[in-house]
Amino acid sequence: MEEVEEVSVVASDHIGAQVGKRVTLRGWLYNKRSSGKLHFLEVRDGFGIVQCVMARADVGDELFAAADKVTQESAIEVTGEVRAHPKRPGVFELSATGFKLLAATTGEYPISPKEHGTDFLMDHRHLWLRSKRQHAILRVRHTIIQAVRDFFDDGGFTLVDAPIFTPNACEGTSTLFETEYHGDKAYLTQSGQLYMESAAAAFGKAYCFGPTFRAEKSKTRRHLAEFWMVEPEVAFMDLAGDMDLAEGLLTFVVARVLEKRRAELAILERDVTKLEAVKGPLPRIRYDEAVKILNEHRADKRAKGEKQEDGTELADFRWGDDFGAEDETVISGRFDRPVMVHRYPAECKAFYMKKDPENPKIALCVDVLAPEGYGEIIGGGQREDDLATLERGIEEHKLPKEPFEWYLDLRRYGTFPHAGFGLGIERAVAWICGLPHVRETIPFARMLNRLSP
């Protein structure tokens, strides 16, 4: 009896190790073109895209005709010999000898090579994820998240999950989603920070990683209603240590993406020289220095006769205000890597930020602004560890004290200096990938007017 050759099923990202062997590739038809007696089938299997070259002479008329009729995104199986691409080093293709249709599409695939509007693509996000660009973005996102976890896990941190339902509004209810919770009022979390402060008292170094929510009616390119944030908190750490930790995380993540995802960055046409510049030490400037940069910029605009949009004179930036998106772009534009702006006025920061002992008008906080106009990607600082000061802060911010009693317990029973920050994953993905809008950085975006798919 003739021995039947065993053919292994391989994934596209391992096909280069199979040159000269017969293998089977299973996936979906990404694209197809024909040239006389040849079909060129591009098959994607979730790991990449492989071109399968099918000659009528190799497969016969019946299979050749079946392949000719197969439609975009039909599930198929192609068997053939792996060979190196004749003109593209490092690229491999399949010389097809077998073909099987596993499942045909039931109609024309909605996303065609023609141009589609953003709303159409977002309405079909469940299908748009299959495109090369979206596939590349989410691969980079995966690597960023993996790098974040590795950085903290290898750094002695303990992952402590924070709840999504919370009883208290940390900074007022205007940017919180309110919900009914078995007869009580609850909110979707803005941050796991308060819970990580209790975790730091238990574990020394802790972090949470999960979804967070913002209810402000914002339509800017930087905002989502639901996004993912990693929030470390460390016991006995001050602001300087907090900035060191943030710098270490950012440089580690960018280096990992450059190591693992250059092919995806090439698909996105990302200028990697911008990322290669992201090495420590990162520049650190005080809020006062940032205000000086803004006012120099505004003075230059006034000298050119430029005015505000309403036609009024362009005034200097007021000390005490928080920076807007345009301000952050101007400040970060002076640097070729993320810049750390620290020691903001206490009046524009949350009640739990510790004030500078040398100047109580200043908070011991830091924002990390990404270059190229991507704005704040990290916000954090040292937390107030004095019970009486924290109680006054709650009162001054007109917040109800009762929901914070558990939080105040952390100061009653073994208070300690501590600090931490939050890194927004989607903004980090947008910056590292060079994307114009955060809606492409998350599998299914939730925005002001979008709740589906």
Side-chain angles (χ1 to χ4, degrees):
M1 180 182 288
E2 184 179 347
E3 187 176 339
V4 178
E5 179 187 1
E6 186 176 341
V7 180
S8 59
V9 177
V10 299
S12 59
D13 57 343
H14 289 102
I15 204 167
Q18 306 293 324
V19 173
K21 298 179 181 178
R22 287 187 75 231
V23 302
T24 293
L25 183 70
R26 291 173 182 156
W28 300 267
L29 182 68
Y30 187 77
N31 194 17
K32 179 184 66 177
R33 58 189 176 87
S34 297
S35 176
K37 297 181 179 180
L38 292 175
H39 289 321
F40 298 90
L41 310 176
E42 290 187 359
V43 180
R44 63 169 195 88
D45 66 348
F47 302 95
I49 297 174
V50 174
Q51 177 172 268
C52 301
V53 182
M54 179 184 290
R56 185 193 298 270
D58 293 334
V59 299
D61 291 341
E62 185 178 347
L63 287 185
F64 192 80
D68 187 48
K69 295 177 182 177
V70 71
T71 53
Q72 183 183 354
E73 289 302 322
S74 292
I76 60 176
E77 179 180 285
V78 183
T79 299
E81 182 179 319
V82 179
R83 65 187 186 190
H85 194 286
K87 297 180 180 179
R88 298 166 63 191
V91 176
F92 304 92
E93 60 184 22
L94 214 62
S95 181
T97 55
F99 172 85
K100 183 185 293 185
L101 175 64
L102 302 178
T105 59
T106 58
E108 185 178 350
Y109 187 64
I111 302 178
S112 63
K114 70 177 182 180
E115 285 290 324
H116 294 287
T118 300
D119 283 343
F120 176 88
L121 291 172
M122 292 302 293
D123 287 342
H124 293 82
R125 183 65 172 166
H126 52 294
L127 302 177
W128 193 26
L129 294 179
R130 303 178 185 184
S131 72
K132 283 184 182 179
R133 175 183 168 86
Q134 303 309 311
H135 194 269
I137 292 168
L138 293 188
R139 286 284 195 187
V140 173
R141 177 191 173 100
H142 166 81
T143 296
I144 289 172
I145 290 174
Q146 185 180 53
V148 166
R149 291 190 181 279
D150 287 347
F151 178 83
F152 288 119
D153 292 347
D154 294 344
F157 284 73
T158 298
L159 174 66
V160 179
D161 297 319
I164 290 176
F165 288 119
T166 64
N168 51 315
C170 300
E171 302 168 34
T173 59
S174 61
T175 60
L176 282 161
F177 286 105
E178 183 180 318
T179 184
E180 187 272 337
Y181 191 79
H182 301 294
D184 292 327
K185 186 181 293 185
Y187 305 95
L188 297 184
T189 183
Q190 287 181 314
S191 164
Q193 178 212 312
L194 304 189
Y195 296 95
M196 288 309 97
E197 290 186 51
S198 66
F203 298 96
K205 296 162 70 174
Y207 76 101
C208 65
F209 201 160
T212 51
F213 306 86
R214 295 288 191 275
E216 64 258 46
K217 292 179 170 55
S218 175
K219 292 183 179 180
T220 77
R221 66 188 183 93
R222 298 180 181 179
H223 284 85
L224 293 168
E226 175 186 291
F227 59 97
W228 284 69
M229 188 155 59
V230 58
E231 298 176 272
E233 200 74 24
V234 182
F236 307 107
M237 189 169 72
D238 59 10
L239 177 60
D242 201 30
M243 290 194 282
D244 289 343
L245 184 66
E247 177 180 297
L249 174 63
L250 280 182
T251 54
F252 181 86
V253 167
V254 171
R256 176 70 68 83
V257 172
L258 287 171
E259 176 192 354
K260 300 287 188 181
R261 296 298 176 192
R262 284 186 180 262
E264 285 79 6
L265 294 174
I267 290 172
L268 299 171
E269 300 181 332
R270 180 61 163 123
D271 182 356
V272 294
T273 63
K274 303 283 190 182
L275 299 178
E276 289 168 343
V278 183
K279 297 177 181 178
L282 300 182
R284 303 181 185 189
I285 63 173
R286 297 176 70 105
Y287 171 89
D288 292 353
E289 296 171 69
V291 170
K292 184 179 179 182
I293 290 172
L294 288 177
N295 285 333
E296 287 174 353
H297 175 75
R298 294 188 181 197
D300 288 343
K301 294 182 75 172
R302 285 196 296 268
K304 296 174 183 177
E306 295 184 35
K307 297 182 182 294
Q308 298 188 106
E309 290 184 2
D310 61 3
T312 59
E313 194 71 22
L314 189 63
D316 278 350
F317 183 87
R318 189 187 79 86
W319 192 97
D321 287 345
D322 205 354
F323 301 132
E326 185 178 345
D327 301 322
E328 292 175 345
T329 299
V330 171
I331 296 164
S332 63
R334 297 286 185 98
F335 306 92
D336 68 344
R337 63 198 71 189
V339 56
M340 298 183 167
V341 183
H342 57 94
R343 290 177 168 80
Y344 284 65
E347 64 185 274
C348 67
K349 290 298 178 181
F351 74 94
Y352 48 72
M353 287 293 185
K354 188 171 183 64
K355 295 178 174 60
D356 190 335
E358 298 179 5
N359 183 355
K361 291 185 178 181
I362 293 174
L364 296 177
C365 62
V366 61
D367 285 350
V368 182
L369 310 182
E372 305 173 75
Y374 283 94
E376 180 193 334
I377 52 174
I378 285 179
Q382 194 169 338
R383 317 308 186 188
E384 182 52 67
D385 51 85
D386 179 73
L387 175 60
T389 303
L390 194 58
E391 287 176 324
R392 283 198 302 272
I394 291 173
E395 184 178 342
E396 289 168 1
H397 282 75
K398 296 181 172 56
L399 296 171
K401 186 179 178 183
E402 194 277 330
F404 291 98
E405 286 297 339
W406 71 268
Y407 182 63
L408 295 172
D409 276 350
L410 303 178
R411 279 68 178 172
R412 295 184 180 113
Y413 307 112
T415 190
F416 59 105
H418 57 289
F421 60 78
L423 164 70
I425 292 297
E426 285 71 24
R427 286 191 183 183
V429 174
W431 160 53
I432 290 173
C433 290
L435 306 178
H437 199 292
V438 291
R439 64 187 161 218
E440 292 183 71
T441 65
I442 191 168
F444 297 96
R446 295 293 174 256
M447 299 178 292
L448 180 59
N449 296 316
R450 179 164 296 281
L451 190 58
S452 67

